[in-house]
Amino acid sequence: MPPPCPACGAQTRPWWTAPAAELGLPDVALARCDACGTAVTLDPVPDDRDVHETGDYATAAPRGAGLAAPLLRVFDRRRLGLVRAAVPPGGAVRLVDAGAGRGRFVALARASGYPAASGVEPTARGVDVARARHGLELERATIAAATVPPGSADAVTLWHVLEHVDDPGGTLDVLHAWLRPGGALVVGVPNLASWQARLGGRRWYHLDLPRHRTHFTARGLRALLDAHGFEAERTVHVLAEHNPFGMWQSLVSRGTRRPSYLFHLLKRNAPLDARDLLVTLAALPLIPLAIAAELVAGLCRRGGTVAVVARRR
Ligand SMILES: [Zn+2]
């Protein structure tokens, strides 16, 4: 019997077997909830390699990293804008980025009106890069083990983290304890109810199997937030950060042998394959179409990823 839905608690049913995002890993089984549409990854992450430190998530800078930097700044500013609308900046505002990666967002927040911003990050790689590149001292810890004092945070960001954890409800309980009553939580996750998820099917770019454990819908995420003491205020579907690329990549993956070939190639994680490369190059002129299609999807509340802004009750 499949597990209960990690978002709303209803019974799930066996759903798909889908290819792993990481080349060379076995296919992955999923179950899905009829009530809220959220899916759950059934197969464990293989324990013989750390999939969050190798392959697509490895340390080496991706190809074209220099070109991507200004774009990443635009994305980070958008995320900060969501925080800003919920909790105005100020010297005393305690903003915590849970799953801070390489510290880019914390550095931006500190320079943009939140000088007391801090971050928690479990990987050594993230903590080291944050120190070297931004002079930032992130706390190296999992969310459960972090030493954020209870009731101390005014705002917490959880950006593309919740889909990675095995117990999303337990994670929200920890963040609830960090926040003061009325404090804001900004959560970003892929949206399984999106148009691009439908287009991509088993090869949807944001399935990222088996690293993504829960495949939320906006509805499922709001149900989970509600069950763990948060009031969802705002659900944002138009996001430039992951959405247009996910739409284009989902289109291209219909024609390549390997799903998300360009992404793997940029991450130095795929062999050169003439056919997949040709299909990918031939699809480059579709980028404006994908951007337009994703914009319409977002306006119809079917964006590829969503951000929910919620308050601690
Ligand atoms: Zn559900």
Side-chain angles (χ1 to χ4, degrees), residues 5 7-10 33 35-38 220:
C5 173
C8 79
C33 168
C36 78
T38 293

Side-chain angles (χ1 to χ4, degrees), residues 5-283:
C5 173
C8 79
Q11 185 56 53
T12 61
R13 288 195 299 172
W15 191 41
W16 282 347
T17 298
E22 207 64 64
L23 304 174
L25 287 182
D27 288 356
V28 179
L30 300 167
R32 192 174 192 197
C33 168
D34 287 337
C36 78
T38 293
V40 57
T41 302
L42 298 174
D43 293 313
V45 173
D47 53 10
D48 58 332
R49 58 192 274 208
D50 184 341
V51 291
H52 287 98
E53 303 248 10
T54 60
D56 288 336
Y57 281 45
T59 319
R63 297 177 213 268
L67 293 173
L71 207 54
L72 295 177
R73 244 187 317 275
V74 170
F75 298 158
D76 292 343
R77 286 197 179 283
R78 167 73 157 142
R79 188 187 348 165
L80 191 64
L82 298 174
V83 174
R84 204 183 282 271
V87 179
V93 174
R94 289 151 306 172
L95 165 63
V96 184
D97 191 23
R102 300 167 191 199
R104 228 178 48 230
F105 182 72
V106 175
L108 173 72
R110 284 195 178 182
S112 311
Y114 298 90
S118 61
V120 172
E121 166 61 30
T123 68
R125 167 205 64 182
V127 172
D128 291 347
V129 175
R131 189 181 298 128
R133 201 172 290 167
H134 306 294
L136 263 181
E137 215 42 63
L138 301 176
E139 179 180 3
R140 187 180 172 196
T142 61
I143 289 171
T147 59
V148 178
S152 69
D154 299 294
V156 172
T157 47
L158 188 67
W159 203 249
H160 291 267
V161 171
L162 199 60
E163 65 271 29
H164 287 267
V165 303
D166 282 317
D167 177 14
T171 297
L172 290 187
D173 289 339
V174 174
L175 304 183
H176 189 274
W178 292 0
L179 282 160
R180 63 165 168 81
L185 175 65
V186 179
V187 191
V189 293
N191 176 20
L192 188 58
S194 61
W195 288 359
Q196 61 175 261
R198 189 175 293 190
L199 178 71
R202 288 170 170 77
R203 296 171 140 222
W204 179 38
Y205 170 65
H206 289 299
L207 277 182
D208 197 13
L209 298 169
R211 282 181 288 248
H212 287 186
R213 311 303 301 165
T214 305
H215 310 274
F216 290 98
T217 60
R219 187 174 160 198
L221 177 59
R222 286 192 297 261
L224 183 70
L225 286 163
D226 183 62
H228 291 269
F230 292 93
E231 182 96 42
E233 280 188 344
R234 216 181 141 192
T235 306
V236 179
H237 284 260
V238 179
L239 293 161
E241 180 163 357
H242 299 96
N243 292 6
F245 182 76
M247 175 63 89
W248 177 79
Q249 186 65 82
S250 297
L251 269 168
V252 181
S253 287
R254 297 185 72 92
T256 53
R257 266 194 292 251
R258 297 178 181 80
S260 308
Y261 181 68
L262 179 65
F263 179 72
H264 288 301
L265 203 62
L266 291 174
K267 290 287 188 175
R268 308 172 195 276
N269 197 29
L272 216 54
D273 176 311
R275 182 179 176 276
D276 279 1
L277 190 60
L278 271 175
V279 171
T280 302
L281 292 176

